[in-house]
Protein backbone atom coordinates (compact mmCIF):
# COMPACT_ATOMS: atom_id res chain seq x y z
CA UNK A 1 0.00 0.00 0.00
CA UNK A 2 2.93 2.33 0.63
CA UNK A 3 3.82 2.07 -3.08
CA UNK A 4 0.30 3.15 -4.07
CA UNK A 5 0.42 6.12 -1.70
CA UNK A 6 3.80 7.16 -3.13
CA UNK A 7 2.34 6.92 -6.64
CA UNK A 8 -0.55 9.16 -5.58
CA UNK A 9 1.90 11.70 -4.17
CA UNK A 10 3.91 11.58 -7.41
CA UNK A 11 0.79 12.17 -9.45
CA UNK A 12 -0.11 15.17 -7.30
CA UNK A 13 3.40 16.62 -7.59
CA UNK A 14 3.11 16.51 -11.38
CA UNK A 15 -0.48 17.80 -11.49
CA UNK A 16 -1.95 14.46 -12.58
CA UNK A 17 -5.00 14.97 -10.39
CA UNK A 18 -7.33 12.55 -12.17
CA UNK A 19 -4.75 9.78 -11.88
CA UNK A 20 -4.19 10.58 -8.21
CA UNK A 21 -7.94 10.52 -7.54
CA UNK A 22 -8.40 7.25 -9.41
CA UNK A 23 -5.66 5.61 -7.36
CA UNK A 24 -6.96 7.08 -4.11
CA UNK A 25 -10.45 5.77 -4.81
CA UNK A 26 -9.07 2.23 -5.17
CA UNK A 27 -7.52 2.16 -1.69
CA UNK A 28 -10.79 1.35 0.13
CA UNK A 29 -11.42 -1.46 -2.40
CA UNK A 30 -8.05 -3.01 -1.70
CA UNK A 31 -8.37 -2.66 2.07
CA UNK A 32 -11.98 -3.89 2.26
CA UNK A 33 -11.08 -6.85 0.03
CA UNK A 34 -8.15 -7.66 2.30
CA UNK A 35 -10.46 -7.58 5.33
CA UNK A 36 -12.98 -9.83 3.60
CA UNK A 37 -10.23 -12.12 2.27
CA UNK A 38 -11.71 -11.83 -1.17
CA UNK A 39 -13.75 -9.49 -3.32
CA UNK A 40 -15.38 -6.63 -1.42
CA UNK A 41 -18.87 -5.36 -2.21
CA UNK A 42 -19.93 -1.75 -2.47
CA UNK A 43 -21.34 -2.04 1.02
CA UNK A 44 -17.95 -3.30 2.29
CA UNK A 45 -16.28 -0.32 0.55
CA UNK A 46 -18.66 2.17 2.19
CA UNK A 47 -18.31 0.49 5.60
CA UNK A 48 -14.50 0.66 5.36
CA UNK A 49 -14.73 4.35 4.45
CA UNK A 50 -17.08 5.02 7.36
CA UNK A 51 -14.58 3.48 9.77
CA UNK A 52 -11.37 5.00 8.43
CA UNK A 53 -12.16 8.02 6.23
CA UNK A 54 -15.30 9.54 7.73
CA UNK A 55 -13.73 10.26 11.15
CA UNK A 56 -11.04 12.32 9.40
CA UNK A 57 -12.97 13.98 6.56
CA UNK A 58 -16.58 13.75 7.74
CA UNK A 59 -17.69 12.28 4.39
CA UNK A 60 -20.09 9.36 4.43
CA UNK A 61 -18.84 6.11 2.89
CA UNK A 62 -21.84 5.91 0.55
CA UNK A 63 -20.88 9.26 -0.96
CA UNK A 64 -17.27 8.17 -1.45
CA UNK A 65 -18.45 4.92 -3.02
CA UNK A 66 -20.77 6.90 -5.32
CA UNK A 67 -17.87 9.12 -6.38
CA UNK A 68 -15.72 6.02 -6.93
CA UNK A 69 -18.34 4.44 -9.18
CA UNK A 70 -19.06 7.55 -11.24
CA UNK A 71 -15.41 8.52 -11.57
CA UNK A 72 -13.88 5.11 -12.28
CA UNK A 73 -16.66 3.89 -14.57
CA UNK A 74 -17.36 7.06 -16.53
CA UNK A 75 -14.67 9.62 -15.53
CA UNK A 76 -17.34 11.84 -14.05
CA UNK A 77 -17.78 13.50 -10.68
CA UNK A 78 -21.54 13.58 -11.19
CA UNK A 79 -22.45 10.92 -8.65
CA UNK A 80 -26.03 12.02 -7.93
CA UNK A 81 -27.52 9.24 -10.06
CA UNK A 82 -25.42 6.51 -8.44
CA UNK A 83 -27.42 3.97 -6.43
CA UNK A 84 -25.13 4.32 -3.40
CA UNK A 85 -25.75 8.09 -3.31
CA UNK A 86 -29.51 7.55 -3.50
CA UNK A 87 -29.23 5.04 -0.61
CA UNK A 88 -27.31 7.66 1.39
CA UNK A 89 -30.02 10.27 0.82
CA UNK A 90 -32.76 7.78 1.78
CA UNK A 91 -30.83 6.87 4.94
CA UNK A 92 -30.52 10.56 5.87
CA UNK A 93 -34.20 11.23 5.25
CA UNK A 94 -35.17 8.21 7.36
CA UNK A 95 -32.95 9.29 10.27
CA UNK A 96 -34.03 12.94 9.98
CA UNK A 97 -30.51 14.29 9.36
Amino acid sequence: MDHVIEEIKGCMEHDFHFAALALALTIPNVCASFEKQGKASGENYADWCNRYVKPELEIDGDIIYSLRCSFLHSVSADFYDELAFKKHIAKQEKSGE
Side-chain angles (χ1 to χ4, degrees):
M1 190 55 64
D2 290 338
H3 181 71
V4 173
I5 293 169
E6 290 304 314
E7 291 282 331
I8 292 169
K9 289 177 183 177
C11 287
M12 293 299 294
E13 288 171 7
H14 292 91
D15 294 327
F16 297 131
H17 301 279
F18 273 24
L21 179 59
L23 280 173
L25 290 170
T26 65
I27 291 173
N29 264 117
V30 173
C31 295
S33 294
F34 180 77
E35 286 181 349
K36 294 294 177 186
Q37 298 178 348
K39 187 176 180 184
S41 67
E43 186 175 321
N44 300 140
Y45 183 105
D47 288 343
W48 188 91
C49 289
N50 284 332
R51 284 183 281 132
Y52 298 105
V53 178
K54 188 175 182 177
E56 295 294 320
L57 302 178
E58 299 181 10
I59 301 172
D60 189 84
D62 289 328
I63 292 175
I64 298 169
Y65 182 68
S66 297
L67 177 60
R68 172 228 176 259
C69 291
S70 64
F71 188 79
L72 294 180
H73 294 289
S74 58
V75 190
S76 170
D78 182 13
F79 56 83
Y80 299 104
D81 286 332
E82 294 292 332
L83 181 60
F85 184 74
K86 290 177 182 179
K87 284 182 183 178
H88 170 73
I89 296 300
K91 204 171 22 175
Q92 277 191 319
E93 288 173 352
K94 187 176 180 180
S95 69
E97 291 181 26

